[in-house]
Amino acid sequence: DGGITQSPKYLFRKEGQNVTLSCEQNLNHDAMYWYRQDPGQGLRLIYYSQIVNDFQKGDIAEGYSVSREKKESFPLTVTSAQKNPTAFYLCASKTTGGGTDTQYFGPGTRLTVL
Amino acid sequence: GQNIDQPTEMTATEGAIVQINCTYQTSGFNGLFWYQQHAGEAPTFLSYNVLDGLEEKGRFSSFLSRSKGYSYLLLKELQMKDSASYLCASVNSGYSTLTFGKGTMLLVSP
């Protein structure tokens, strides 16, 4: 089946540790995105990538890093510099044909930092 | 920049009709999406509007007025499973990213 996978569904880490969230897609989409969602908040863009080996900062990139070495994969690292890392993290992808292209979302990873 | 406003919460009764509004202020308009998100799950695509008017898809319809910077999502024949958060998102200039509103939590009661 084609789709976007994120693992794990739930992740717990101690304060001060870096943690990497995985996102894989087999939809042959060029663009991939990472969002953060906090209770009662909309989705806020962390990083996005429109092509392999290139990515851009979103609205809240501080304390996060990404890589895009393969078209299918866009891992997000939450570093110890991120002051409030506990949140629901969503990955999305789409083609880059134009504005009508819909972003499709993975199931999300809920990160809790203790 | 982009600014999107939608009500925080709405309640409705099973079988009824509900309209969820979204207003936006953008520096360049390239279209507007509606997504549905159940608690703890991924958002799923409902509709996309770029031209003025109403787009109907079964029980769900979406309306856009570009001159007023206004959209709404209309849900008919409400079912319990429609209890979810509904996210409005505008397409940013360059077409590469979306700006999301905070979402409207809809609670459908028996």
Side-chain angles (χ1 to χ4, degrees):
Chain A
D1 285 354
I4 305 173
T5 58
Q6 293 183 244
S7 61
K9 180 78 172 171
Y10 299 95
L11 191 55
F12 296 87
R13 280 293 182 270
K14 292 183 179 179
E15 195 172 339
Q17 290 181 333
N18 290 358
V19 60
T20 298
L21 282 58
S22 84
C23 177
E24 304 278 332
Q25 54 95 4
N26 60 6
L27 301 167
N28 200 33
H29 284 169
D30 297 301
M32 296 186 74
Y33 303 81
W34 274 106
Y35 294 92
R36 170 185 173 135
Q37 188 174 35
D38 295 282
Q41 299 291 319
L43 277 63
R44 292 185 290 168
L45 183 63
I46 304 172
Y47 268 99
Y48 66 103
S49 167
Q50 297 188 83
I51 195 169
V52 174
N53 293 322
D54 189 41
F55 48 82
Q56 287 77 40
K57 292 182 179 180
D59 300 318
I60 55 164
E62 185 175 351
Y64 300 97
S65 65
V66 292
S67 62
R68 186 85 186 276
E69 297 177 0
K70 298 187 300 183
K71 187 175 185 177
E72 302 80 18
S73 179
F74 191 40
L76 173 75
T77 297
V78 185
T79 75
S80 56
Q82 168 50 233
K83 300 206 183 310
N84 295 298
T86 294
F88 188 46
Y89 290 88
L90 287 159
C91 178
S93 70
K94 77 174 187 72
T95 61
T96 55
T100 58
D101 295 322
T102 302
Q103 289 188 22
Y104 294 95
F105 287 84
T109 293
R110 187 167 298 280
L111 173 65
T112 302
V113 176
L114 305 171
Chain B
Q2 312 269 15
N3 189 38
I4 298 179
D5 291 309
Q6 44 182 140
T8 304
E9 290 182 357
M10 298 183 71
T11 59
T13 306
E14 198 172 13
I17 299 173
V18 70
Q19 177 175 312
I20 302 174
N21 296 326
C22 171
T23 58
Y24 61 89
Q25 298 89 39
T26 64
S27 54
F29 181 76
N30 295 311
L32 192 132
F33 284 91
W34 284 97
Y35 284 85
Q36 179 191 60
Q37 185 181 25
H38 287 99
E41 297 183 7
T44 55
F45 168 76
L46 290 177
S47 67
Y48 171 75
N49 295 70
V50 68
L51 299 176
D52 287 354
L54 187 68
E55 299 262 351
E56 297 187 73
K57 277 187 186 179
R59 293 189 301 114
F60 292 8
S61 303
S62 57
F63 172 84
L64 177 68
S65 168
R66 295 175 64 133
S67 61
K68 295 182 179 178
Y70 167 69
S71 173
Y72 67 72
L73 183 69
L74 191 70
L75 292 74
K76 302 176 184 176
E77 301 169 15
L78 281 171
Q79 302 174 10
M80 298 295 288
K81 68 178 181 179
D82 297 329
S83 290
S85 184
Y86 292 86
L87 309 176
C88 174
S90 69
V91 181
N92 295 330
S93 60
Y95 295 93
S96 57
T97 62
L98 300 177
T99 296
F100 283 84
K102 293 185 177 181
T104 299
M105 179 67 69
L106 174 65
L107 178 61
V108 179
S109 57

